[in-house]
């Protein structure tokens, strides 16, 4: 009896030493007892692999509960079975707990997990939008990451490279099919085209642009970025463009194709664009011999890129005028030569860059050889630096200092050319820039450029080099074909943002009204004898309305139909150049095994944002 009492007393003392609160806790089986320190007990967390040591009070388990909630939030905790009691003092029973680390619970409801096809689409979005190599799916780290995504009761699994490549091919086919269905529902589409060279390979890129009739929003899509073999002659360019247009069912829907001013592109459209039919019935028929290849296909109407034309004005016409007179030639060359010295020093020496940053707290911009905008931006940065600080930089870099006239020459150059840079930014837009934006932009450009003439001392003749005045009307030689274009005039008038507000000459306003009525009469199919009167009434209603949004065109259906046709095009070929910019990020030297066809598919899906918006809820 005495031994039994002593045994019970010992067992009770052991229980008190371990803490009765811990032993009776419903989650005690996730911890193993180690020792007692004063009023605390020390345990190991078995979910952490038994390596995590924790301390808690004998009477409170709050520390242990916080650990479970913070470190093992993804683990579904199971309460201890009350029928399975732990004998105090029995180490084997007290330490009985799960020995393995708990994994993520994949037995979630269907609403909280995804399917394998949805996972594939999410992976495709990551690879295509971030322009990652297809071999990303082979990465052990990537596959380990994907394995922690629950997929209908099991761990997610990334596809192998071959399967994933086939999946991308299938998605590309779906994208092509959806594009063709979209084009089938449209009446008017425009395109931009250009040739791009990268890593000794040439590619012909084409983008399409249109306006959705229902909401008058502009949309775009990349049609091709095909490998272009052989010489870039006009006939091969025309043949490839016709193949791309016909493969998308656009041969007779394209209102305008915009390219740069390259002679090969211009010649292709001059040769393969069908000439207008003659209205003179009395003219004698003439026999004309043409090549058989010339009659197999025709290209749509052509428009030269407005941005490239403006670059020619800034780089060729302005440069020619600046160097044509001895006075301007000397000061312009001396000032730009000193600027070039600053750019070279600041871009090639870290110490020079630190000196510049220490004086003006900015870096000097270095111009790019292929874009005039960068030259203007670099000059403008220098023009805003006070002459004292500018010469402090020059002296510190052991360069020749600027004099007052040279600094003033730079300031006057930037003041005169500033409107042209704004016009370039406007015409290179996509979402809110239509073909009708071109003429109002040119009119504003010419007006603002001539307005800068007041106050010029050194370059007082520079505005006249950009803008001419003929018969009292502003005129720009490079844009002569656009300024006299009836379609360009109507495109601007049928944009509610402009209407006739941008026209300063009353004669041109009357001409625009007359052409609008005439064009609307053509699009009127009512049986009423007063079709011309109806068209005039609609034009009058449209011009007097104060609405400026494109959605206001729904009240004037004839004007809307005309605007959809004329404003489908963009003024510049900037969209296809942006396509090539994305191509630079995909066709890198490290991906030299990427086939031309696979490159085109990845680029087009990226430009068209095919996987954008992909989410678990949507798919």
């Amino acid at each position: 009896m005495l031994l039994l009492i002593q045994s019970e007393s010992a067992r009770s003392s052991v229980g008190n030493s371990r803490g009765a609160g811990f032993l009776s806790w419903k989650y005690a089986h996730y911890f193993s007892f180690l020792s007692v320190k004063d009023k605390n007990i020390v345990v190991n967390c078995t979910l952490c692999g038994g390596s995590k040591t924790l301390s808690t009070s004998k009477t409170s388990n709050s520390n242990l509960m916080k650990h479970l909630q913070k470190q093992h939030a993804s683990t579904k905790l199971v309460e201890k079975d009350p029928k399975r009691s732990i004998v105090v003092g029995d180490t084997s029973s007290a330490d009985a707990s799960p020995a393995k680390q708990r994994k993520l619970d994949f037995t979630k409801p269907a609403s909280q997990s995804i399917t394998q096809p949805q996972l594939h689409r999410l992976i495709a979005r990551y690879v295509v939008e971030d322009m990652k190599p297809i071999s990303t799916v082979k990465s052990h780290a990537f596959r380990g990451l994907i394995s922690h995504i629950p997929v209908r009761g099991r761990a997610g699994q990334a596809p192998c490279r071959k399967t994933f490549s086939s999946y991308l091919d299938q998605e590309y086919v779906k994208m092509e099919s959806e594009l063709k269905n979209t084009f089938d529902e449209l009446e008017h589409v425009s395109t931009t085209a250009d040739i791009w060279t990268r890593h000794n390979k040439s590619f012909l890129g084409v983008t399409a642009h249109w306006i959705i009739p229902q909401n008058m929003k502009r949309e775009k899509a990349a049609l091709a970025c095909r490998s272009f073999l052989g010489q870039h002659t006009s006939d091969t360019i025309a043949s490839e463009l016709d193949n791309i247009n016909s493969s998308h069912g656009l041969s007779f829907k394209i209102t305008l194709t915009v390219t740069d001013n390259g002679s090969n592109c211009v010649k292709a459209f001059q040769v393969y664009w069908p000439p207008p039919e003659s209205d003179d019935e009395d003219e004698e028929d003439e026999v004309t011999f043409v090549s058989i290849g010339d009659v197999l296909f025709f290209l749509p109407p052509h428009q030269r890129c407005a941005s490239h034309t403006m670059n020619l004005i800034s780089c060729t016409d302005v440069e020619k005028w600046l160097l044509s007179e001895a006075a301007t030639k000397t000061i312009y060359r001396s000032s730009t030569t000193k600027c070039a010295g600053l750019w070279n020093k600041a871009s090639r020496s870290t110490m020079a860059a630190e000196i510049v940053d220490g004086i003006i707290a900015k870096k000097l911009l270095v111009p790019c050889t292929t874009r005039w905008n960068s030259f203007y931006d670099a000059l403008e940065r220098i023009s805003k630096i006070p002459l004292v600080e500018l010469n402090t930089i020059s002296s510190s870099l052991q360069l020749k200092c600027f004099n007052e006239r040279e600094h003033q020459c730079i300031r006057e150059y930037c003041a005169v050319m500033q409107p042209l840079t704004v016009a370039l930014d406007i015409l290179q837009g996509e979402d809110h820039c239509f073909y009708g934006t071109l003429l109002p932009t040119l009119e504003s450009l010419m007006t603002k450029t001539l307005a800068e003439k007041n106050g010029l001392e050194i370059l007082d003749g520079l505005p006249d080099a950009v803008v001419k005045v003929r018969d009292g009307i502003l005129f720009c030689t490079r844009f002569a074909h656009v300024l006299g274009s009836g379609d360009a005039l109507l495109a601007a008038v049928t944009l509610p943002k402009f209407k006739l507000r941008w026209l300063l000459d009353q004669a041109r306003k009357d001409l625009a009204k007359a052409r609008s009525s005439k064009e609307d009469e053509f699009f009127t199919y009512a049986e009423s004898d007063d079709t011309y009167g109806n068209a005039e009434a609609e034009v009058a209603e449209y011009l007097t309305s104060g609405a400026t949004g494109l959605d206001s065109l729904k009240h004037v259906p004839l004007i809307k139909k005309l605007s959809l046709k004329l404003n489908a095009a963009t003024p510049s070929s900037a969209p296809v150049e942006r396509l090539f910019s994305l191509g630079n990020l995909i066709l890198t030297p490290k991906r030299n095994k990427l086939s031309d066809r696979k490159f085109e598919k990845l680029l087009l899906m990226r430009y068209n944002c095919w996987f954008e918006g992909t989410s678990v809820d949507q798919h």
Side-chain angles (χ1 to χ4, degrees), residues 394-428:
S394 299
S395 300
S396 302
L397 300 181
Q398 298 180 350
L399 298 172
K400 292 183 178 180
C401 295
F402 291 80
N403 58 45
E404 180 62 39
R405 284 184 59 80
E406 289 171 342
H407 197 237
Q408 183 179 353
C409 176
I410 296 174
R411 293 198 306 270
E412 290 186 1
Y413 176 88
C414 293
V416 174
M417 303 304 292
Q418 193 268 344
L420 194 142
T421 63
V422 176
L424 270 173
D425 292 338
I426 293 174
L427 296 179
Q428 289 176 354

Side-chain angles (χ1 to χ4, degrees), residues 66-77:
K66 289 180 181 179
H67 172 78
L68 291 176
Q69 293 174 346
K70 184 176 181 181
Q71 300 297 330
H72 306 290
S74 59
T75 301
K76 185 177 180 180
L77 300 178

Side-chain angles (χ1 to χ4, degrees), residues 470-541:
R470 296 184 181 179
D471 300 328
I473 299 177
L474 300 183
F475 187 81
C476 186
T477 305
R478 292 279 184 182
F479 287 99
H481 61 289
V482 177
L483 293 173
S485 170
D487 286 346
L489 178 64
L490 283 176
V493 173
T494 54
L495 285 180
K497 178 181 178 181
F498 298 113
K499 295 182 182 178
L500 298 176
R501 302 183 185 95
W502 58 279
L503 287 171
L504 303 179
D505 183 54
Q506 186 60 40
R508 296 185 68 189
K509 287 187 178 182
D510 296 338
L511 176 63
K513 290 180 181 180
R515 289 187 64 91
S516 298
S517 299
K518 184 177 180 180
E519 293 287 343
D520 287 342
E521 178 187 0
F522 174 78
F523 286 109
T524 302
Y525 300 101
E527 297 181 357
S528 172
D529 295 334
D530 192 19
T531 54
Y532 185 76
N534 294 337
E536 273 195 325
E538 185 169 303
V539 170
E541 177 188 353

Side-chain angles (χ1 to χ4, degrees), residues 202-214:
S202 294
F203 298 88
L204 177 62
V206 179
T207 64
H209 306 267
W210 65 94
I211 302 174
I212 302 176
Q214 290 77 13

